[in-house]
Amino acid sequence: MTRDARVVIVGAGIVGCSLADELTARGWSEVTVLEQGPLPAPGGSTSHAPGLVFQTSPSRTLTGFARYTVEKFSSLKVDGLPCFNPVGGLEIATSAERWADLHRKAGLAASWGVRGELISPARCAELWPLLARDRILGGFHTPDDGLARALLASRAQLERATARGARFLGRHTVTAIEREGGRVTAVVTDRGTFPADAVVCAAGFWGPLIGAMAGVDVPLQPLAHQYATTAPLPELAGVNDPRTEASRPILRFQDRDLYYREHTDRIGIGSYAHRPLPVDPARLPAYDDAPVMPSSLPFTAEDFAPSWAESVGLLPALGASRVEKGFNGVFSFTPDGMPVIGESREVRGFWLAEAVWVTHAAGVARAVAEWMTDGRPGMDVHACDLYRFEEAQRSPAYIAERGRRNFIEVYDVIHPLQPVEQPRPLRVSPFHVRQRELGGYFLEAAGWERPHWYEANAALAESVQPPPRDAWSARHWSPIAAAEARATRERVALYDMTPLGRLEVSGRGALDFLQRMTTNQLAKKPGAVTYTLLLDEAGGIRSDLTIARLSEHHFQVGTGGALDLDWLLRHAPDDVRIADITPGTTCVGVWGPLARDLVQPLTPDDFAHEAFGYFTARRTFIGHVPVTAMRLSYVGELGWELYTTADLGLRLWDTLWEAGRHHGVIAAGRSAFNSLRLEKGYRAWGHDMTTEHDPYEAGLGFAVRMDKGDFIGRAALEGRGAGTVTRKLTCLTLDDPAAVVMGKEPVYAEGVAAGYVTSASYGYTIGRTIAYAWLPAAIAVPGTAVHIEYFGEKVPATVAAEPLYDPHGERIRR
């Protein structure tokens, strides 16, 4: 789209106002913001938001959004009043588990560049004198966090956008979204129709209703959240300026799902401790029919009673006070707790900026504005993309159940491997029955049940002795993983690779299309398999793929999931067909030095190295089962990926299992797989690299063929190379063979935070933990000493040359 595009934003809350400001700042003046309520306080979530901005999150993306929100709102004033009050944030621990988690959170803050420090109970009491000091083990203080005054910030941005040509129209209820030829054309309201080249749904918890008008599902669940305000407290009399309301940090008592902020001489209390209160946006009253406003529901005092008792215990002065007023405020949750942004593929020009809290509002608005004007956001937003969810995760029942669960878990201590509890099992491979018989320990990803190890291999673990682990890293881990890794290196193992995405790309234009979309040379004979990358126009890595040319016009593409399918579908010409074959197919990885001994007697074809070379594919049979066999190995050992249809999957597994008994075959899980792939230096997109990184920084320059012709991102890579990078994805090994890190920890060089860990695992073959991290190129030199902070402890590590295991790849080419 161009600057003269007509943009209609639905919703004038904090997100809609922020987006109008960002778009007009980029020269787009044909911006209309429609709001069903009155301006500037239209009655949605923005109108009741307490305005807490805690920047630190396990998500680097959310932290980036929040940092920009602080930066932007700090620059805004209305009638001399600041739109952001930098009172800071204080999270307190009253349990050993929370105190440990605050150490982890301090590490996240350092990784993402947020100022913060762990402080003593005495210092907590200095910052919040009303605290019952004897209950506190310590706190995490973030001085740059604070309170966003959402309505003021909305008004400030509304006025700026209006001065640049935007118009804001209150009391306009959207009744329809007009479409033609797969594109939006207009927004219909009860007061007229507004032609549009682009429509942005920033309607908050009304998003699903607006999306339905356009034929676009918006995966969010509105829920009510309790907020109460006390009567005036003598202890706060004269403490705070009424114009700024607060001087003490936002206080979070996450052990009891509570938070607190000052309102001049009162205290506001927010609670996530109550039962989930789902809301149907279609049943909410209109603004003029609501007792207060549509997003403010009646306070359910019985739900708040336990939270009040806990608050009195933490802040004893409340014992002489009472709840003067309260309400149940409505806001949005998604299945994974992240925002939903991006353009619909099915209805072009229809954009989402949904499930966004005030904390992230300005950051999300900037990302969407960049996406609309420049064609891409300036930061990685794949975890917020509308198309990140698999089809199985988009049912109304799933969205509702996961939304309720995410409300419950807002302040929980969440382990990075912790699986969702319900609904499970949702997606299972054809091997699931055998995996359960073998005692599989299942975690979940994208709805798939994924075995991480098998209790059937417990006896094998008696002969391996990995170092003992601390309580945190021991969660969702077993020493059995070490035995499975060893068996893969020494014998042969079966790995369930079914959850990895598979696409079928076919048609006379298939080769030209894939050549244009990817970085490596695909013009090879049928039977060739190629590792390649998807880039965006700026040369950032969107994904990495494995593409097998099965015949002249037929390719099988191994992908990272739904986002790759979306990207390819958006660019596919009419003479190319793309089908997601993942649900109807399955895959077994047969890997280890005895892999050929296992499969050769089962197939009529020659699986010798000379006849079936590395990175080649062929159709054949394993016993009675037709398969597509690919000579690939992501664990660094000889082996094949064997694909067949889902109905024959169990027969394939049983055939391999029975034949493998003589060779000591085992089933192995994702825990061993992750260890083995890091020993080989294999990257995982979304963890180790994203659109913020180019192939040379990520160590994947070998997958780029600049001489093959044009491809998306090629122009941006001109002049770049391994010698031009200023940062690198770097292999580290921990000096202490017993030390462990898990990912997202900060890396220090000469006492200064210099980068962060992306992936980590114990390398059972090399006998120490491996961590990949983004570091400045000057530091990323083998032999350089660094430190990784793990729960407050600086763990020595050393930059290592990669790959750590079989550096010449001899074992996979036998």
Side-chain angles (χ1 to χ4, degrees):
M1 291 186 294
T2 59
R3 289 187 176 188
D4 58 356
R6 298 163 300 179
V7 179
V8 175
I9 300 171
V10 180
I14 189 64
V15 178
C17 291
S18 296
L19 180 56
D21 183 53
E22 294 288 337
L23 286 172
T24 56
R26 288 162 172 78
W28 288 33
S29 58
E30 294 293 315
V31 176
T32 300
V33 184
L34 302 175
E35 173 53 58
Q36 64 180 342
L39 296 174
S45 299
T46 299
S47 299
H48 65 65
L52 281 64
V53 179
F54 279 88
Q55 298 172 83
T56 305
S57 163
S59 165
R60 184 169 176 269
T61 298
L62 289 186
T63 299
F65 288 159
R67 289 182 66 182
Y68 182 68
T69 298
V70 169
E71 175 188 332
K72 184 176 188 180
F73 290 1
S74 295
S75 70
L76 301 177
K77 288 186 177 181
V78 175
D79 298 334
L81 295 175
C83 294
F84 185 78
N85 184 358
V87 294
L90 175 62
E91 300 179 49
I92 58 165
T94 60
S95 66
E97 182 184 32
R98 183 67 61 179
W99 183 226
D101 190 60
L102 291 185
H103 283 74
R104 183 175 70 99
K105 187 163 285 186
L108 289 170
S111 290
W112 312 147
V114 176
R115 285 202 306 154
E117 64 172 339
L118 294 164
I119 60 175
S120 67
R123 177 60 177 150
C124 291
E126 288 178 15
L127 292 171
W128 255 86
L130 301 185
L131 282 170
R133 176 178 165 180
D134 59 341
R135 293 195 61 184
I136 300 168
L137 300 180
F140 178 51
H141 180 222
T142 45
D144 300 323
D145 290 340
L147 295 166
R149 307 182 76 170
L151 284 177
L152 279 184
S154 295
R155 181 179 157 195
Q157 293 176 103
L158 180 155
E159 292 174 355
R160 296 204 314 188
T162 300
R164 302 186 191 110
R167 56 178 176 165
F168 288 74
L169 304 175
R171 300 291 189 175
H172 280 64
T173 299
V174 174
T175 58
I177 307 292
E178 293 187 346
R179 295 163 278 162
E180 185 177 337
R183 292 197 62 88
V184 294
T185 57
V187 178
V188 182
T189 76
D190 58 350
R191 299 178 64 180
T193 297
F194 297 84
D197 301 301
V199 175
V200 185
C201 180
F205 54 79
W206 285 289
L209 305 183
I210 302 300
M213 296 179 192
V216 175
D217 292 331
V218 180
L220 66 81
Q221 171 63 54
L223 288 112
H225 162 57
Q226 290 201 299
Y227 193 80
T229 307
T230 69
L233 296 173
E235 293 83 356
L236 293 182
V239 171
N240 296 312
D241 185 336
R243 295 175 303 171
T244 57
E245 294 188 337
S247 59
R248 291 167 181 162
I250 313 161
L251 178 65
R252 290 211 280 193
F253 182 22
Q254 292 173 294
D255 282 326
R256 294 297 182 269
D257 297 312
L258 294 164
Y259 64 82
Y260 308 86
R261 58 152 295 182
E262 295 173 312
H263 291 280
T264 310
D265 59 351
R266 295 166 167 82
I267 292 178
I269 307 170
S271 172
Y272 293 100
H274 56 84
R275 61 191 169 93
L277 300 168
V279 175
D280 180 356
R283 300 181 66 180
L284 289 174
Y287 186 91
D288 293 324
D289 297 330
V292 181
M293 54 183 164
S295 64
S296 182
L297 303 183
F299 190 62
T300 50
E302 66 278 9
D303 289 313
F304 193 74
S307 293
W308 178 254
E310 292 289 355
S311 296
V312 171
L314 183 73
L315 305 170
L318 297 184
S321 187
R322 71 185 191 283
V323 173
E324 186 172 80
K325 61 180 180 179
F327 65 95
N328 292 359
V330 183
F331 65 151
S332 304
F333 282 82
T334 60
D336 59 4
M338 299 292 283
V340 178
I341 64 177
E343 183 186 16
S344 168
R345 184 179 69 250
E346 297 83 1
V347 184
R348 297 299 178 92
F350 187 81
W351 291 76
L352 295 181
E354 284 292 344
V356 182
W357 295 4
V358 171
T359 304
H360 311 114
V364 167
R366 178 177 65 171
V368 173
E370 291 169 339
W371 208 341
M372 296 178 71
T373 60
D374 302 334
R376 70 187 294 270
M379 62 185 293
D380 168 52
V381 297
H382 82 274
C384 307
D385 194 294
L386 166 63
Y387 288 93
R388 69 188 182 271
F389 297 115
E390 300 283 345
E391 189 67 24
Q393 299 172 292
R394 301 184 70 92
S395 70
Y398 186 92
I399 292 166
E401 187 167 359
R402 289 304 309 147
R404 290 193 296 269
R405 189 65 205 175
N406 279 324
F407 178 90
I408 293 171
E409 294 177 348
V410 162
Y411 280 171
D412 286 1
V413 176
I414 302 295
H415 192 274
L417 294 176
Q418 182 172 322
V420 302
E421 294 183 3
Q422 295 295 334
R424 291 181 66 191
L426 183 62
R427 308 174 79 186
V428 297
S429 81
F431 323 132
H432 187 66
V433 62
R434 296 292 182 262
Q435 293 166 342
R436 293 184 63 184
E437 291 169 357
L438 293 169
Y441 183 89
F442 294 93
L443 300 182
E444 184 267 358
W448 286 103
E449 295 294 317
R450 299 169 65 146
H452 274 239
W453 67 84
Y454 296 88
E455 289 297 330
N457 298 322
L460 300 177
E462 296 174 3
S463 62
V464 294
Q465 294 184 336
R469 293 199 170 200
D470 64 277
W472 182 254
S473 64
R475 293 188 192 179
H476 307 296
W477 173 85
S478 169
I480 294 173
E484 293 177 0
R486 180 174 177 178
T488 307
R489 292 278 188 241
E490 295 180 353
R491 299 192 306 279
V492 61
L494 304 185
Y495 286 82
D496 181 3
M497 305 303 290
T498 304
L500 298 184
R502 292 172 293 284
L503 307 178
E504 186 176 74
V505 180
S506 59
R508 299 192 65 84
L511 175 61
D512 290 342
F513 167 64
L514 290 172
Q515 284 280 73
R516 181 169 60 86
M517 297 301 298
T518 68
T519 60
N520 213 335
Q521 178 60 261
L522 302 178
K524 302 173 182 177
K525 294 180 180 179
V529 181
T530 306
Y531 176 81
T532 187
L533 307 174
L534 290 178
L535 306 182
D536 63 19
E537 294 288 356
I541 303 172
R542 282 194 59 94
S543 187
D544 59 343
L545 310 174
T546 302
I547 299 181
R549 190 175 192 183
L550 301 180
S551 65
E552 184 178 5
H553 304 304
H554 181 197
F555 296 80
Q556 182 171 311
V557 181
T559 80
L563 289 177
D564 296 343
L565 173 62
D566 173 57
W567 181 253
L568 293 174
L569 287 172
R570 287 178 186 271
H571 291 84
D574 292 340
D575 61 349
V576 171
R577 296 181 299 276
I578 302 174
D580 183 1
I581 62 172
T582 310
T585 56
T586 190
C587 178
V588 184
V590 184
W591 292 316
L594 301 182
R596 183 176 288 114
D597 296 332
L598 192 162
V599 299
Q600 183 62 84
L602 302 174
T603 178
D605 287 303
D606 187 354
F607 271 45
H609 179 66
E610 296 75 13
F612 197 158
Y614 190 54
F615 263 78
T616 61
R618 65 174 56 171
R619 289 188 170 112
T620 184
F621 291 86
I622 298 294
H624 297 91
V625 180
V627 301
T628 298
M630 297 187 195
R631 177 100 183 267
L632 307 176
S633 174
Y634 287 95
V635 298
E637 297 293 339
L638 171 69
W640 287 265
E641 293 180 356
L642 302 176
Y643 298 87
T644 191
T645 53
D647 60 322
L648 291 168
L650 188 57
R651 182 60 177 263
L652 175 62
W653 180 278
D654 288 345
T655 300
L656 293 167
W657 186 261
E658 187 59 34
R661 289 179 182 274
H662 176 67
H663 304 288
V665 70
I666 67 160
R670 295 294 299 183
S671 186
F673 177 90
N674 197 47
S675 171
L676 298 170
R677 71 105 178 162
L678 286 176
E679 290 181 333
K680 283 296 294 180
Y682 294 142
R683 277 69 167 140
W685 187 84
H687 296 278
D688 299 319
M689 70 275 190
T690 68
T691 54
E692 296 183 11
H693 312 108
D694 75 31
Y696 306 109
E697 295 171 324
L700 298 175
F702 67 87
V704 178
R705 294 291 183 268
M706 295 291 285
D707 59 354
K708 76 162 191 171
D710 196 24
F711 56 85
I712 293 176
R714 184 187 185 283
L717 296 185
E718 290 283 1
R720 301 192 205 179
T724 66
V725 302
T726 59
R727 58 179 179 175
K728 294 178 67 175
L729 184 62
T730 307
C731 179
L732 308 174
T733 57
L734 273 57
D735 294 355
D736 181 353
V740 173
V741 298
M742 299 192 66
K744 300 186 179 181
E745 297 90 354
V747 180
Y748 289 81
E750 298 182 352
V752 177
Y756 60 91
V757 174
T758 59
S759 294
S761 179
Y762 198 85
Y764 300 109
T765 313
I766 68 166
R768 63 189 63 237
T769 292
I770 305 160
Y772 272 77
W774 281 101
L775 293 175
I779 297 172
V781 178
T784 302
V786 296
H787 289 84
I788 301 174
E789 184 179 304
Y790 182 71
F791 285 90
E793 179 185 354
K794 297 288 179 44
V795 180
T798 303
V799 175
E802 60 172 334
L804 297 167
Y805 177 77
D806 189 26
H808 302 296
E810 296 169 352
R811 295 179 67 86
I812 55 180
R813 291 180 171 84
R814 293 181 173 184

